[in-house]
Amino acid sequence: MPSGLQPAILLAAFAGLRIGEAVALRVSDVDFMRGIITPAIQYPGVELKTEESKNPIPVPQNLCLELSVNHARWGSETLVTNEWGRSISPHRVEHYFRDARSSVKGLPEGFRFHDLRHYFASLLIAQGLDVKVVQKSLRHSSAKTTLDTYGHMWPDKEETARAAVAGVLADRLKSRTEQRA
């Protein structure tokens, strides 16, 4: 991806932003010191998809540093820019993304920009975060939406549940045996 478009990739893959949110994200929507992104609009300067989309997103300092590079270079109002430092449409980002996709090894056929948001969700789940944290991070309106979309990604806890029940039952049986003695 051209350097001005790299923030779009980072915003989708490591903050879960939708493409319209990423290209419209302004420098003023990011608290670089505290590591918080607060989307306010989406392309082309219209209201966000939902009220939950306005919720702040905590991000690590190394992501903030990467996001600041493009702004430092161009001084642009938005974090995602074309090769001349001007804002860019989602359609153009998608165009560049499709061109770049073929040069990235291991991507599935038909991988889309929106799949970076799915990547973000899957990395949170793989790190052991619960459904409410993932819901909040994705800015979904309900945990049901998160579970309907990503429920299959949570590790199967059947063995963990079995072990928990076995442990409590063993304690109860031991206690009962001790009471009889």
Side-chain angles (χ1 to χ4, degrees):
M1 295 290 284
S3 62
L5 302 182
Q6 290 173 3
I9 302 300
L10 296 172
L11 289 165
F14 299 106
L17 267 64
R18 299 168 182 96
I19 192 167
E21 297 167 339
V23 299
L25 192 70
R26 301 166 298 196
V27 173
S28 60
D29 298 330
V30 181
D31 184 334
F32 291 94
M33 295 301 289
R34 291 178 38 223
I36 299 174
I37 295 173
T38 309
I41 58 171
Q42 64 181 341
Y43 184 86
V46 298
E47 285 287 314
L48 292 169
K49 183 177 176 183
T50 66
E51 277 302 307
E52 286 77 17
S53 296
K54 296 177 184 176
N55 289 337
I57 306 162
V59 295
Q61 282 298 302
N62 55 354
L63 178 56
C64 287
L65 182 61
E66 289 297 318
L67 292 174
S68 70
V69 169
N70 198 42
H71 172 65
R73 179 177 180 203
W74 295 107
S76 58
E77 180 182 337
T78 58
L79 291 175
V80 179
T81 64
N82 65 16
E83 57 270 23
W84 301 286
R86 296 188 191 105
S87 60
I88 189 167
S89 73
H91 176 74
R92 291 300 298 156
V93 172
E94 290 278 9
H95 169 79
Y96 283 107
F97 187 81
R98 283 189 300 273
D99 286 349
R101 179 177 60 203
S102 62
S103 66
V104 179
K105 292 181 182 180
L107 286 182
E109 183 71 29
F111 191 82
R112 307 161 301 150
F113 186 91
H114 190 77
D115 292 326
L116 295 170
R117 180 171 161 84
H118 297 313
Y119 168 80
F120 175 67
S122 68
L123 82 83
L124 296 177
I125 294 165
Q127 291 299 310
L129 300 179
D130 67 53
V131 67
K132 291 302 283 182
V133 173
V134 176
Q135 171 199 343
K136 184 176 179 185
S137 298
L138 290 169
R139 297 163 298 126
H140 284 158
S141 59
S142 74
K144 181 182 180 335
T145 301
T146 307
L147 284 171
D148 286 348
T149 307
Y150 302 107
H152 66 284
M153 292 182 165
W154 266 276
D156 186 1
K157 300 291 186 178
E158 188 174 292
E159 285 305 313
T160 305
R162 182 178 288 133
V165 171
V168 171
L169 179 58
D171 288 346
R172 298 287 187 246
L173 293 173
K174 180 180 176 187
S175 173
R176 192 173 93 193
T177 305
E178 290 171 357
Q179 286 175 357
R180 288 183 189 161

